[in-house]
Amino acid sequence: MTKTTNTNSLDKVQEYLTAECFNKLFIGGQFVDPIDGQKMPTYYPATGEVFHEVPKGNANDIKAAIHAAEAAWLDGTWANMPAATRGDLISRMAQGIEENIAVLAAIEAADVGKPFRQSALVLGGAANEGKYWGSLGKVLDTEQDTPVNSGGGVGGLPPAEWDVVYRRDPIGIVGLISAWNYPLNVAFRKVAPALVAGNCAILKPSEIAGLSCMFLGKLAKDVGIPKGVFSVVTGGRETGAALVASPSVSMVSFTGSSLTGTKIMEASAPKLSQVALELGGKSAMVVFEDTNLERAVEATIKGCLTNGGQICTAHTRLIVQEGIKDHLLKKLKTVLEKIPYCRDPITERERGDRAWETGMTDVIQPVVSASQHKKIMDFLEEAKAKGIEIYTGGRVPNPADVENAGGYFIQPTILTNVPRDSDAWQKEIFGPVLSVRSFSSEADAIAEANSTAFGLASTVMSSDPAKAMRVANRIRAGAVFATSTGEGLLAEHPAVSRGGFGCSGVGRELGIGGLHEYTELKSVNYSGFSIAEAKENSSHG
Ligand code: NAD
């Protein structure tokens, strides 16, 4: 491993990373080396230097994790346990995240280039969410053996003499494949409900930034999740593909790009196994001319720059009413050109993206990797070549403006004169790039908002509540914000389901529906004896 500079902040993170969980796979309740002994480097986006090497699991390691999961599934202890008990263990894992936020936030700052302050804030969200999933264990128990006849009779009832009940069974062995942009949050949002529901789960974190996810193996061990019920296998795309292809894996829950989502669906089709896909987006920020301009500036910046634009719900398409377009763009440019670059994300304890709290974005972070940096810069070159105007940004920053020239920084960029059928309007860039179009009528605004294949999130800003509601109701996206102020933009709550229309995904996360995604609904019809008798006898037996 080579280290090109000696950064004290990275030294501290490297000290944390000496712990076993950051250097081994977690399979069958043990920390183990990958069978082939391979490793893969991980880079600090603010400087471009390698700061750790992660075990690189391959198809054989996936096989080992599947064997362990099969044994745990056959044993049945986990699936038969009350969901409330499983929920308590998940809540304890969440508690473990909360108790280690400072360490995990430093690790994510180094891995993703996300300012420490923001990492810590977001990880606090993961801990809260974990407690929510834990609390749903009890709810799942109350849903077991619910008489179908108690359902209110919507659309008809089975004959009164039928003793038929609904159950929600775990699916079996589930593969969980996660993205790098909010590493632990994305992973735990899968691990927690999958386990509360009674499944055995194998997590394959992103190879780009997945260090904090490895900590989940340690937490599972610490709280006493039975061996084989949960494994963590780090590795590349082929490792994920091996997990998806296994005939023993009955469901894959995936968060990542739409392109990979199609591959996962394709690989799952021959075995007709289930998929839950949380994919990319190209969210719209629709601004009517009756919106307070200062608020519109704030919300637009928050929408497109949170996490450096590397968030699935990034509002990267500004759709502004013609009358205020020039004025709004001028104001956006002035603010964007003043936001400083992050110096050392690991130590940024005061600054950091405050979007989740106050709506302010007060620092520009690097993008996550050299390849992502190149992809975005190539994209901007191609846009320029096609006649799209760079209104501001479009380059790497002046070296004097950043601490380290090796960092993966890009100027926040606004593209204007963007045709509807261009890549700048249609494709997810996943960086600090905003594409702009304008509209005249309400109908135009809706058509512009719905003019891509994605449908993850969108916002309509207006001081007219009825108009905002009309437009919000016509937008094809899984989460829509209708607002005069921009407050609450991008906000999530564990009890509020979300997911994608179109190319943004299949299925829904969060809320009770998010837990149900990891279950199969089953009816059991009793005759000759009642379910009450069956229960009575099982309590005697
Ligand atoms: P990616 O699709 O490149 O990779 C995601 C994961 O899939 C990684 O762990 C990777 O190793 C694995 N993978 C890649 N090819 C695979 C294959 N053929 N079979 C199985 N696994 C495979 O995505 P990324 O670059 O890590 O993440 C960024 C993307 O994630 C963006 O598109 C973003 O919008 C999306 N995202 C969506 C949400 C959401 O909730 N909708 C949340 C976060 C990120």
Side-chain angles (χ1 to χ4, degrees):
M1 181 167 69
T2 44
K3 199 169 158 205
T4 52
T5 63
N6 183 10
T7 321
N8 287 336
S9 56
L10 264 186
D11 289 345
K12 186 76 202 157
V13 172
Q14 284 173 320
E15 232 178 275
Y16 298 145
L17 293 175
T18 56
E20 191 177 36
C21 65
F22 299 116
N23 295 283
K24 305 239 178 193
L25 309 178
F26 180 66
I27 296 177
Q30 303 294 327
F31 287 104
V32 297
D33 287 318
I35 293 167
D36 287 354
Q38 288 194 323
K39 293 189 171 185
M40 50 192 186
T42 187
Y43 301 85
Y44 186 33
T47 62
E49 69 202 277
V50 173
F51 70 95
H52 192 60
E53 285 178 333
V54 177
K56 188 173 184 202
N58 62 22
N60 287 329
D61 300 292
I62 289 287
K63 237 185 227 166
I66 287 173
H67 282 153
E70 281 172 337
W73 179 252
L74 271 179
D75 167 73
T77 308
W78 182 250
N80 288 333
M81 195 181 274
T85 310
R86 294 192 297 257
D88 286 346
L89 293 175
I90 296 306
S91 299
R92 283 171 53 203
M93 285 179 75
Q95 183 66 34
I97 293 173
E98 195 165 278
E99 284 162 10
N100 289 282
I101 276 185
V103 170
L104 291 168
I107 289 172
E108 283 204 353
D111 216 9
V112 184
K114 199 193 302 273
F116 176 92
R117 188 181 176 287
Q118 188 195 345
S119 297
L121 200 70
V122 169
L123 285 163
N128 280 339
E129 194 181 306
K131 289 178 190 167
Y132 167 79
W133 291 120
S135 75
L136 285 194
K138 278 194 201 81
V139 178
L140 192 59
D141 285 333
T142 66
E143 290 182 330
Q144 300 300 19
D145 299 323
T146 329
V148 175
N149 278 330
S150 72
V154 180
L157 286 175
E161 65 276 16
W162 281 30
D163 192 9
V164 56
V165 294
Y166 280 135
R167 293 188 58 76
R168 287 220 167 250
D169 282 0
I171 295 173
I173 299 173
V174 301
L176 312 175
I177 301 178
S178 56
W180 50 262
N181 56 339
Y182 289 88
L184 190 136
N185 291 62
V186 169
F188 200 43
R189 183 170 287 182
K190 298 181 182 306
V191 172
L195 294 184
V196 170
N199 300 286
C200 294
I202 298 162
L203 171 68
K204 206 301 280 176
S206 166
E207 64 277 27
I208 294 174
L211 282 168
S212 56
C213 304
M214 299 172 84
F215 196 69
L216 293 174
K218 172 183 159 44
L219 291 176
K221 192 166 189 195
D222 288 354
V223 307
I225 304 271
K227 65 180 187 177
V229 165
F230 176 58
S231 294
V232 185
V233 181
T234 42
R237 291 164 175 233
E238 331 68 54
T239 317
L243 181 58
V244 177
S246 167
S248 303
V249 171
S250 303
M251 178 210 189
V252 170
S253 172
F254 167 77
T255 296
S257 64
S258 298
L259 180 65
T260 308
T262 62
K263 291 184 185 160
I264 287 175
M265 211 176 201
E266 214 177 323
S268 303
K271 49 179 177 150
L272 292 172
S273 55
Q274 301 199 17
V275 290
L277 305 174
E278 296 296 327
L279 308 177
K282 190 82 183 175
S283 298
M285 165 67 74
V286 178
V287 182
F288 280 90
E289 57 195 14
D290 54 16
T291 307
N292 174 304
L293 219 56
E294 302 307 323
R295 295 286 199 157
V297 169
E298 212 174 77
T300 303
I301 291 179
K302 172 181 174 181
C304 75
L305 275 192
T306 294
N307 203 30
Q310 306 166 115
I311 177 169
C312 52
T313 48
H315 284 46
T316 50
R317 290 184 301 134
L318 172 63
I319 298 165
V320 53
Q321 199 157 18
E322 268 153 20
I324 55 164
K325 180 182 165 193
D326 291 346
H327 208 43
L328 179 59
L329 285 182
K330 230 181 252 170
K331 279 184 175 280
L332 278 172
K333 179 171 153 69
T334 309
V335 178
L336 284 180
E337 288 175 0
K338 279 195 198 136
I339 304 177
Y341 292 90
C342 193
R343 302 220 153 250
D344 180 1
I346 301 167
T347 56
E348 292 279 3
R349 285 172 186 257
E350 302 306 325
R351 294 192 306 175
D353 189 333
R354 294 178 184 233
W356 301 101
E357 287 175 322
T358 60
M360 277 173 51
T361 295
D362 60 5
V363 64
I364 310 284
Q365 69 188 68
V367 299
V368 74
S369 66
S371 68
Q372 191 63 15
H373 189 266
K374 179 174 182 324
K375 196 174 128 201
I376 299 167
M377 294 313 296
D378 287 352
F379 185 94
L380 292 175
E381 281 312 312
E382 204 179 310
K384 264 188 259 180
K386 292 207 162 133
I388 289 173
E389 185 193 339
I390 310 265
Y391 185 80
T392 182
R395 298 168 199 273
V396 296
N398 185 330
D401 293 339
V402 289
E403 185 84 359
N404 192 310
Y408 312 135
F409 290 96
I410 295 175
Q411 291 176 336
T413 299
I414 298 180
L415 303 178
T416 50
N417 193 21
V418 179
R420 231 198 219 181
D421 62 358
S422 64
D423 284 356
W425 195 252
Q426 296 295 336
K427 294 202 172 156
E428 186 183 45
I429 303 172
F430 229 52
V433 182
L434 178 71
S435 299
V436 184
R437 285 178 62 79
S438 60
F439 68 92
S440 49
S441 67
E442 198 175 309
D444 266 3
I446 295 164
E448 289 291 354
N450 292 336
S451 65
T452 76
F454 294 108
L456 196 58
S458 277
T459 292
V460 48
M461 289 195 83
S462 169
S463 58
D464 176 345
K467 181 164 64 183
M469 183 177 74
R470 281 194 305 271
V471 174
N473 288 351
R474 294 282 313 280
I475 288 181
R476 290 180 47 75
V480 179
F481 303 89
T483 174
S484 59
T485 60
E487 275 166 82
L489 181 66
L490 302 181
E492 287 181 350
H493 187 278
V496 182
S497 288
R498 41 154 291 165
F501 282 42
C503 292
S504 288
V506 173
R508 291 292 178 269
E509 280 191 320
L510 301 177
I512 187 72
L515 180 64
H516 288 167
E517 290 270 338
Y518 293 92
T519 66
E520 294 273 23
L521 181 66
K522 169 168 111 185
S523 65
V524 185
N525 198 343
Y526 289 84
S527 65
F529 44 80
S530 66
I531 183 174
E533 282 174 288
K535 286 196 169 170
E536 174 72 16
N537 278 287
S538 73
S539 64
H540 293 155

